[in-house]
Amino acid sequence: MTKSDQLAGQLTADIASGRYPVGERLPSQAELRTAYGSVSRTTVMTALRRLTDQGLIRGGQGSPAVVIAKPGEAVGPAASAGIGDLRSALREAFEADEITMDVLSLTSETMATYLGDPVVLITQREIKPKSIRLRLMLPDITGIKLAFPRALLPDDQESEVRDWSRPRHRDMVIRYAKTLEHSLLTLRDRGLVADVSVRIRTVPFTPPLKLYLLNGNQLLEGYYTLTTWQPEPPKGEPELTILDSDSFSADATLFRYTTPQHSVKVETAQRFFDSYWDNLAQEADFSQT
């Protein structure tokens, strides 16, 4: 059980006992850190988010949270998916001793960006996980033509005009995958995490969604929305209209599901990932690209 699990359980018990009555505010995050054993700010934030998911409190981001229900009386948030963000979800996941991350995405840019926060915490020895396992599933960037990103060209011009959006996307896939691999394996090489495993595979289709499964108990799921735009072309290349997706955005909507409230959804997503990983995906080889 993580520290955030323990704190969430203690706060839940205190709400049930009437120490924090319905309609009253909880202590501030700084006060909670002191009152419950000098825990970290991340631990407090994670615990408060769990109580929010359970429908026990609301608020708690910029001001003290308000108790809105006792355990067993909560309605609403626990019954449906919440809006999550990957940065917070990763911070929560990295409170565990054994960390697993199964990821399906178009480029892994978002993952490579937000993984930096827990990596810094490990480097600073604020958290000390025993093992980290990443399985990253990406589209095949060498064997197939992806549905997007691609240039919108008339059929009679496809053989005449170079679609420079495809090699640009290929380079992004390789760069961010290698960044993730390097970040995690460096933790092992420096002796900060004893057991680190990074496996990267590709699938022969264009993912219509991004999916993050963390520690078997969190699922974040988002959808790639297609759009057209005209980016500045590389030097010497023609201007093209590109069919693309918003593959990275700090404001991109991710739906968050957690166990036990959404066990069926999380478990089904895990079976989906495992089936594609085991039966369709191939080990990625970026050495020749």
Side-chain angles (χ1 to χ4, degrees):
M1 180 180 293
T2 66
K3 290 182 179 180
S4 58
D5 290 328
Q6 296 172 0
L7 177 55
Q10 291 171 349
L11 287 170
T12 299
D14 287 341
I15 291 172
S17 71
R19 180 181 179 183
Y20 303 126
V22 173
E24 297 294 326
R25 293 183 180 274
L26 291 179
S28 68
Q29 290 187 16
E31 291 169 335
L32 289 173
R33 291 178 62 184
T34 302
Y36 289 87
S38 299
V39 295
S40 70
R41 181 171 178 268
T42 298
T43 296
V44 171
M45 292 175 63
T46 300
L48 292 177
R49 189 169 71 170
R50 291 187 181 179
L51 266 61
T52 301
D53 289 345
Q54 295 167 21
L56 301 179
I57 65 173
R58 69 166 177 260
Q61 297 300 314
S63 59
V66 176
V67 178
I68 59 174
K70 286 187 173 183
E73 300 175 356
V75 296
S80 60
I83 303 300
D85 67 275
L86 185 59
R87 171 175 282 154
S88 297
L90 285 171
R91 286 178 175 176
E92 179 177 338
F94 269 74
E95 290 222 343
D97 287 334
E98 298 179 349
I99 299 157
T100 63
M101 300 175 286
D102 290 337
V103 179
L104 169 66
S105 69
L106 188 64
T107 65
S108 74
E109 179 182 5
T110 311
M111 184 72 176
T113 299
Y114 290 149
L115 191 67
D117 288 353
V119 166
V120 168
L121 292 176
I122 293 173
T123 302
Q124 296 174 343
R125 302 183 186 276
E126 293 189 28
I127 54 176
K128 301 177 181 179
K130 295 178 180 178
S131 67
I132 301 174
R133 188 198 71 180
L134 169 65
R135 295 192 299 177
L136 176 61
M137 198 152 52
L138 299 165
D140 182 354
I141 54 173
T142 59
I144 65 170
K145 288 187 175 181
L146 300 181
F148 60 88
R150 64 179 174 87
L152 294 178
L153 299 170
D155 292 341
D156 59 355
Q157 293 185 16
E158 285 192 356
S159 60
E160 301 175 6
V161 178
R162 179 176 181 268
D163 183 356
W164 45 260
S165 67
R166 294 189 187 275
R168 186 181 66 172
H169 175 257
R170 178 200 64 201
D171 293 343
M172 288 179 62
V173 170
I174 296 171
R175 180 168 70 255
Y176 291 116
K178 289 186 175 181
T179 296
L180 279 169
E181 183 178 45
H182 176 75
S183 296
L184 293 177
L185 294 183
T186 297
L187 295 176
R188 181 196 63 191
D189 296 342
R190 294 181 58 185
L192 296 169
V193 182
D195 182 12
V196 178
S197 170
V198 179
R199 298 187 65 187
I200 304 172
R201 291 185 174 181
T202 61
V203 286
F205 63 84
T206 310
L209 79 167
K210 57 177 71 176
L211 180 150
Y212 309 94
L213 283 154
L214 307 175
N215 294 351
N217 58 26
Q218 278 197 87
L219 164 66
L220 286 93
E221 181 179 88
Y223 303 94
Y224 290 121
T225 301
L226 296 181
T227 186
T228 59
W229 66 308
Q230 293 181 311
E232 183 177 350
K235 186 176 180 179
E237 298 288 355
E239 291 188 0
L240 297 174
T241 299
I242 307 298
L243 178 66
D244 204 350
S245 68
D246 186 11
S247 59
F248 177 86
S249 173
D251 299 322
T253 300
L254 289 175
F255 296 96
R256 179 174 178 264
Y257 305 87
T258 58
T259 60
Q261 294 94 340
H262 312 106
S263 293
V264 173
K265 175 69 174 181
V266 176
E267 291 167 3
T268 300
Q270 188 66 66
R271 288 197 299 273
F272 161 82
F273 185 94
D274 290 343
S275 68
Y276 279 72
W277 181 270
D278 293 336
N279 299 300
L280 189 61
Q282 301 292 323
E283 297 295 332
D285 181 9
F286 298 145
S287 60
Q288 303 300 318
T289 58

